[in-house]
Amino acid sequence: MHQLVGKSFLSDTSTTTTSWLEQYIPSQDQRQVQAFIDKAIKAKKPFELAHQVIQANRTLGWTFSRAIPIFNAMGEITEWFGTASDITEHKQAEEALRQSEQRKSFLLRLTDALRPLDNPVAIESQAVRVLGEYLGVNRIGYAKTQEDEKLVAVTLHYKQDVPGIEGLYRYEDYGPQLLQDMQMGKTVVRSDIARDSTLSDAEKAAHATLQLGATVHVPLVKQGRLEAILFVHSQQAHPWSVNEVSLIEETADRIWTAVEAARVEGDLQVSEKRLRLATEAAQLASWEWDLVTDTVYWNEQHFRLLGMAVQSEPLQSDAFLNHIHPDDRSWLTALLTKSITEQSLYDTDFRVIREDSAIRWMHGYGRVTVQEQDQPLRMSGLMFDITDRKEAEVALRETDRRKDEFLAMLAHELRNPLSTLHNTLLLLRLTRGQDETLSLDRALGMMSREVNHLNRMIDDLLDVSRISQGKIQLHKERLDIGKLIREALEAARSQFASRGQALTIKLPKEPIWVDGDATRLTQVVRNLTTNAAKYTPDGGQIDVTLEQQKGQAVVRIRDSGTGIAAEQLQAIFEVFVQVSASLDRPQGGLGLGLAVVKQLVELHGGRVGVDSLGLGHGSEFTVSLPSLPDGGLQHTSAGAGHATKAGRILVVDDNADLALTTAMLLRHKQYEAHTCLSGPDALAAVESLQPAAVLLDLGMPGMDGFATCRRLRALDWGKHGVIVALSGYGQEEDKNRTRDSGFDGHLVKPLNLQALTELLTKLLSISESGT
Ligand code: ADP
């Protein structure tokens, strides 16, 4: 403190007072100080004032002045007596305190405003509102740097009395240093843009367009990249105080921290939610096992998998262990213990017994998730039901085993007839049919039986594969099923008679009509009756009945044979299934017949069933087919007709033996048969012979069957002549191809004489009636 004595404030020496004021008091305070002095003189009282002064070093300081005016006898002021103390430090401390209080209360408000928010956008907008109100500025917002770092997208969250400025901007339009400074993480402060000498006129104009008088830009730099800016705009020039700038920086910092936390939290929540959804969708049971307290925590699915009521309270681990199948309990417990002590993965299949006593297969998966100083504290994992998969695996293994058995049996079954054929041929060659023990008739009988047997097996094999691939096509027509049964069984009567088996057929008087494929339904009836004969001892009884029941034609084939054990009843209709699968089965067969029957009947919209009172008590097979209402339509099945009129047939095959034997068979059926061995020969032969029909092999060298057919069709003869393909290929698509190539029919080798004569009869009569 120093003494102030003198005349400096004398009112009459106003120049002195004025110069004191001008010299020491900042211009904006001069008027106020003068007023104080005048008031003191007038009241003749001491004058006391804390005021700012311009210090010797031209900086501002604070002084507390106390002066007493001294008056003469006439009441005129003569001089002042007083003291002046430098209170700059005190004032600064006071100001700092005030500012810090203000700052504290602002940050408190900011924290309160942000605390309940968990979404980044809400955090940003709320924070700038608090900051904007506190600073009393015109605009606060964010700008996000774009892929091209020179561009920035502005979003605004707070504005007062100014238009919005959302949009894309280029940093370089607002001053050369702006981008560089911010890229280095420096806050850019501009207090008076209109007078800023670092800005060009164009840049000032750009600022003016946005009504920018003063700005603060706080950058957010992440991993060396300028990510975003928090900006504060004032419409008027504004001398930003250090305090304000640091407050803006602090706010920016808090916003970004909160936004980042919200984002991480949000991501976490999303991923947790996703995991929960996935767990639920996959019907996964999840569990946590507190190893210290031995309590387990399950989700709802865990309870459900064990058939338990859902409980919210944790359970003891026994609740799980007690549900494990007794056969799996000890090894599973050992495995869990091992995975806890060795901290290894627990990953295994096991069985549980549910509360309702059902046994289910589970897959368990888990590992220790919390440990302290190598002490496992908690284990967690998942469990899901794999019963379906396990059952499928078992079924697959079973099918595989059956297939292996089937292949072994197939080889065996094929070898048997082949061995007989081979032996008979050898004997015939040696004896020329002269040995009485093997007469030619007997040898031929044996050989044709074996060939038929081989044929049947191959047919069954092909049928099974065609049906299962959906390649079989039914040629349905309205037919009398009773008539079909009678005809099918007439042909097989000798088979029963030879074994002394009695066959009775009971059919209703009235026809029962079904919409069916005659060939395929005959096959069904023959398969079932052949089985009945096969599995019934000599002298047994076989009864076939047909009746109409509730819109169904029901065929029953009952035998007094071996019967079928109850547990086998369903399985026998599956492919490869035979009740006695040992290789020395006296009856032979491939275990395909019933599978074919079932599939064919189902293709007709019908059902097959089987019943047996058990082994030794015979069996009864039932076929139900939807029947058609009785109608006047005539039965149009091709039936088992015979050639009524012999004709001239030309057989064309490059295999001379086959051509010859086929011609001989035809002659046997009263046809006039000729042969030739190639396409060109056939063309010439047709011209000279003018046959009624040509039987044409497809696979011939040079001109094949298709080319030959084309050329034949080009002849005059071809306009009416019948051409039938004879081929080793008999699939539906092969038949379609021959039909499309101009053939009238298609027969499969080896030639079925009856089928050939039936076809020729049909075709020739058509061909004749057409001419
Ligand atoms: P395959 O007769 O060639 O063995 P199938 O599919 O026709 O094949 O029959 C499957 C199995 O069903 C037979 O092996 C046999 O054990 C049993 N089976 C079929 N029909 C009868 C029947 N009438 N009586 C007793 N068992 C039968």
Side-chain angles (χ1 to χ4, degrees):
M1 184 188 292
H2 59 272
Q3 278 201 331
L4 255 181
V5 184
K7 304 182 177 182
S8 357
F9 297 149
L10 288 178
S11 61
D12 58 344
T13 52
S14 57
T15 45
T16 320
T17 309
T18 310
S19 71
W20 179 83
L21 279 171
E22 274 175 3
Q23 192 176 348
Y24 292 109
I25 306 297
S27 55
Q28 67 269 24
D29 293 348
Q30 285 172 9
R31 192 188 288 247
Q32 191 197 5
V33 174
Q34 181 68 63
F36 259 89
I37 293 171
D38 291 347
K39 208 168 135 200
I41 293 170
K42 208 168 166 193
K44 296 195 169 129
K45 289 230 174 107
F47 138 76
E48 276 181 3
L49 186 66
H51 57 93
Q52 279 192 291
V53 291
I54 301 163
Q55 302 180 115
N57 60 5
R58 304 301 302 160
T59 62
L60 281 180
W62 281 86
T63 297
F64 181 75
S65 300
R66 188 166 198 282
I68 302 167
I70 310 291
F71 298 92
N72 60 17
M74 285 134 68
E76 293 164 336
I77 183 163
T78 54
E79 59 188 329
W80 288 89
F81 179 78
T83 55
S85 326
D86 182 356
I87 56 164
T88 309
E89 276 182 21
H90 173 77
K91 271 286 184 191
Q92 278 172 348
E94 218 177 62
E95 175 63 15
L97 191 67
R98 193 184 60 80
Q99 284 185 2
S100 123
E101 288 299 319
Q102 257 183 2
R103 183 190 179 87
K104 253 197 242 158
S105 91
F106 168 75
L107 291 178
L108 213 63
R109 256 170 55 208
L110 186 66
T111 312
D112 281 350
L114 298 190
R115 190 178 296 122
L117 304 177
D118 57 3
N119 118 26
V121 176
I123 290 172
E124 288 175 349
S125 65
Q126 186 66 352
V128 292
R129 194 180 57 74
V130 176
L131 181 65
E133 281 167 5
Y134 178 77
L135 293 177
V137 291
N138 299 96
R139 246 189 231 126
I140 305 186
Y142 298 94
K144 228 176 143 358
T145 305
Q146 301 297 286
E147 283 300 301
D148 173 359
E149 275 204 47
K150 293 183 172 150
L151 282 178
V152 70
V154 167
T155 51
L156 203 66
H157 296 291
Y158 177 84
K159 74 179 162 61
Q160 283 294 315
D161 314 322
V162 281
I165 57 165
E166 286 87 346
L168 268 185
Y169 294 86
R170 274 144 44 115
Y171 283 110
E172 60 185 26
D173 293 342
Y174 299 87
Q177 266 311 107
L178 188 63
L179 182 59
Q180 286 92 318
D181 280 356
M182 287 197 300
Q183 278 172 333
M184 287 163 66
K186 276 208 285 194
T187 299
V188 178
V189 181
R190 287 175 177 155
S191 297
D192 191 353
I193 286 168
R195 288 194 192 83
D196 194 325
S197 58
T198 64
L199 299 176
S200 70
D201 286 347
E203 288 156 1
K204 284 179 185 165
H207 280 90
T209 314
L210 305 181
Q211 302 191 16
L212 302 179
T215 57
V216 178
H217 289 91
V218 185
L220 169 70
V221 178
K222 252 199 218 161
Q223 288 159 352
R225 184 176 186 273
L226 173 63
E227 288 278 319
I229 306 157
L230 174 80
F231 62 77
V232 179
H233 291 169
S234 166
Q235 206 177 10
Q236 310 299 330
H238 178 82
W240 302 105
S241 71
V242 175
N243 201 33
E244 281 173 330
V245 173
S246 88
L247 211 66
I248 296 170
E249 285 175 331
E250 171 118 26
T251 309
D253 200 42
R254 286 199 178 205
I255 292 171
W256 283 321
T257 311
V259 163
E260 196 55 34
R263 215 165 262 149
V264 170
E265 175 72 10
D267 289 352
L268 208 65
Q269 275 179 10
V270 168
S271 84
E272 258 176 22
K273 196 168 160 197
R274 234 184 255 146
L275 185 66
R276 204 169 51 241
L277 277 176
T279 310
E280 280 163 16
Q283 304 199 314
L284 290 173
S286 64
W287 51 268
E288 274 197 46
W289 183 7
D290 185 328
L291 300 169
V292 180
T293 60
D294 194 32
T295 40
V296 287
Y297 302 82
W298 295 344
N299 71 351
E300 292 189 4
Q301 179 66 2
H302 204 295
F303 287 98
R304 267 184 238 125
L305 286 188
L306 297 179
M308 297 169 71
V310 177
Q311 298 168 42
S312 51
E313 295 301 305
L315 304 169
Q316 291 300 112
S317 66
D318 276 357
F320 172 65
L321 299 175
N322 290 342
H323 279 93
I324 300 173
H325 192 287
D327 291 353
D328 294 343
R329 198 171 295 154
S330 66
W331 68 258
L332 190 72
T333 316
L335 190 70
L336 278 166
T337 312
K338 181 168 173 267
S339 100
I340 294 168
T341 48
E342 295 179 6
Q343 317 231 331
S344 55
L345 197 66
Y346 150 73
D347 186 0
T348 190
D349 296 347
F350 57 94
R351 282 161 298 172
V352 296
I353 301 185
R354 289 163 43 101
E355 289 287 294
D356 59 8
S357 307
I359 298 175
R360 305 288 294 178
W361 275 97
M362 298 287 153
H363 184 86
Y365 182 91
R367 66 157 73 240
V368 169
T369 44
V370 183
Q371 60 183 60
E372 232 166 55
Q373 290 150 5
D374 280 348
Q375 258 320 96
L377 298 184
R378 192 176 275 263
M379 187 173 183
S380 1
L382 299 169
M383 179 172 84
F384 48 95
D385 193 316
I386 53 163
T387 313
D388 291 349
R389 194 188 84 198
K390 281 278 175 188
E391 280 171 357
E393 276 170 18
V394 170
L396 209 64
R397 270 201 299 276
E398 175 63 11
T399 311
D400 209 39
R401 187 188 60 76
R402 271 201 231 138
K403 200 182 70 201
D404 287 346
E405 265 177 15
F406 171 77
L407 287 175
M409 197 173 62
L410 177 64
H412 173 88
E413 290 299 324
L414 291 174
R415 200 161 282 138
N416 268 350
L418 282 175
S419 306
T420 313
L421 280 171
H422 177 260
N423 288 351
T424 319
L425 278 172
L426 204 65
L427 282 167
L428 277 181
R429 195 169 293 147
L430 290 173
T431 63
R432 307 254 149 228
Q434 305 299 314
D435 193 321
E436 336 175 319
T437 48
L438 186 72
S439 67
L440 193 59
D441 274 355
R442 181 145 186 248
L444 289 175
M446 280 164 63
M447 284 167 70
S448 68
R449 239 190 342 269
E450 299 307 334
V451 168
N452 284 341
H453 187 48
L454 278 172
N455 256 331
R456 247 197 340 267
M457 280 197 279
I458 289 167
D459 281 348
D460 277 356
L461 273 172
L462 288 175
D463 278 350
V464 165
S465 111
R466 272 184 222 140
I467 297 172
S468 64
Q469 291 175 51
K471 281 190 178 164
I472 216 153
Q473 264 186 11
L474 296 182
H475 301 289
K476 285 197 193 167
E477 58 189 327
R478 181 183 172 84
L479 51 85
D480 175 358
I481 182 78
K483 188 166 177 239
L484 181 138
I485 292 172
R486 196 176 314 110
E487 285 174 1
L489 295 183
E490 263 336 297
R493 235 175 223 291
S494 60
Q495 180 189 348
F496 301 99
S498 68
R499 297 195 43 204
Q501 292 170 329
L503 171 69
T504 66
I505 307 171
K506 228 167 98 190
L507 302 174
K509 286 203 183 65
E510 296 303 314
I512 298 178
W513 300 100
V514 299
D515 186 26
D517 181 321
T519 314
R520 293 311 188 173
L521 290 179
T522 304
Q523 192 180 351
V524 166
V525 174
R526 282 204 186 136
N527 267 356
L528 291 174
T529 45
T530 306
N531 271 355
K534 209 157 80 172
Y535 299 104
T536 299
D538 292 357
Q541 173 76 36
I542 289 126
D543 301 303
V544 179
T545 60
L546 168 70
E547 43 187 4
Q548 170 105 300
Q549 265 180 7
K550 295 182 194 149
Q552 300 277 315
V554 183
V555 187
R556 289 202 171 79
I557 294 139
R558 189 178 310 131
D559 65 58
S560 61
T562 57
I564 301 163
E567 65 274 13
Q568 293 290 342
L569 284 176
Q570 276 316 304
I572 55 170
F573 289 105
E574 285 171 32
V575 184
F576 309 145
V577 168
Q578 291 194 311
V579 174
S580 160
S582 66
L583 287 180
D584 58 351
R585 293 162 316 112
Q587 299 92 345
L590 294 175
L592 298 176
L594 286 180
V596 172
V597 164
K598 178 170 188 270
Q599 289 169 331
L600 285 178
V601 170
E602 285 175 357
L603 277 179
H604 278 85
R607 269 179 299 114
V608 281
V610 60
D611 209 356
S612 170
L613 289 175
L615 291 177
H617 295 285
S619 323
E620 181 181 280
F621 285 81
T622 318
V623 175
S624 313
L625 294 166
S627 60
L628 295 175
D630 201 4
L633 271 177
Q634 280 303 301
H635 170 45
T636 55
S637 163
H642 290 279
T644 49
K645 178 179 175 291
R648 188 179 295 156
I649 312 288
L650 176 65
V651 181
V652 188
D653 199 314
D654 63 313
N655 181 328
D657 288 348
L658 211 54
L660 184 70
T661 48
T662 307
M664 285 169 71
L665 287 171
L666 282 168
R667 277 178 213 133
H668 190 67
K669 288 276 175 189
Q670 273 74 51
Y671 287 97
E672 180 194 327
H674 299 260
T675 61
C676 57
L677 307 181
S678 72
D681 285 356
L683 290 173
V686 160
E687 292 283 35
S688 59
L689 288 170
Q690 292 292 316
V694 174
L695 267 185
L696 190 51
D697 179 31
L698 291 181
M700 291 186 295
M703 191 188 292
D704 68 8
F706 291 102
T708 310
C709 178
R710 253 195 324 276
R711 300 281 292 272
L712 284 174
R713 285 282 175 228
L715 302 175
D716 261 0
W717 174 90
K719 294 190 182 111
H720 316 293
V722 167
I723 310 176
V724 174
L726 197 55
S727 163
Y729 301 100
Q731 306 281 39
E732 229 20 78
E733 56 264 42
D734 304 318
K735 293 185 177 172
N736 291 341
R737 188 165 164 227
T738 48
R739 192 167 44 239
D740 295 346
S741 308
F743 287 87
D744 298 303
H746 183 124
L747 289 170
V748 183
K749 291 178 184 173
L751 188 64
N752 178 328
L753 196 56
Q754 185 167 341
L756 172 64
T757 49
E758 279 172 14
L759 181 70
L760 284 177
T761 309
K762 194 168 130 194
L763 289 176
L764 290 176
S765 63
I766 289 172
S767 147
E768 272 163 18
S769 61
T771 53

